[in-house]
Amino acid sequence: MMTGLRTAFVAATAAALLSVTGAVTTASAGDDGASLKEPGCAKLVGSGWGYADIHNACGHTISATVEVDGWDPSCIQIGPGAVARIGLEAGDEPYYAYEC
């Protein structure tokens, strides 16, 4: 009797784990990273050789910078709703903006 219950429990647990794994795989399959929203007020809206543009999406002044490989640039102040340009070192590629 106990072996039958144990077998049923193991089978139910395995089925539950497989269904959860399938749901997680399905949810992450369509996520290419570009669809992720940056939290907070600072939004990276553009970049080029030696600069990045940060938009302040909030109604108050913020300090913000961008994430790059190595040392992140110093924070800059950005007024409400404004876009400000921050300087980058040669070869730096900004990944996202964040508040400091």
Side-chain angles (χ1 to χ4, degrees), residues 33-93:
S35 63
L36 296 177
K37 301 283 186 200
E38 293 169 295
C41 298
K43 311 295 180 196
L44 178 63
V45 294
S47 64
W49 184 256
Y51 76 91
D53 291 333
I54 304 171
H55 174 240
N56 176 358
C58 293
H60 59 276
T61 300
I62 64 169
S63 291
T65 189
V66 292
E67 175 71 24
V68 296
D69 288 335
W71 297 102
D72 294 348
S74 297
C75 297
I76 58 172
Q77 276 197 334
I78 308 170
V83 174
R85 183 163 284 182
I86 190 168
L88 303 176
E89 292 185 15
D92 278 350
E93 181 179 337

Side-chain angles (χ1 to χ4, degrees), residues 22-38:
V24 170
T25 303
T26 302
S28 62
D31 186 11
D32 61 1
S35 63
L36 296 177
K37 301 283 186 200
E38 293 169 295

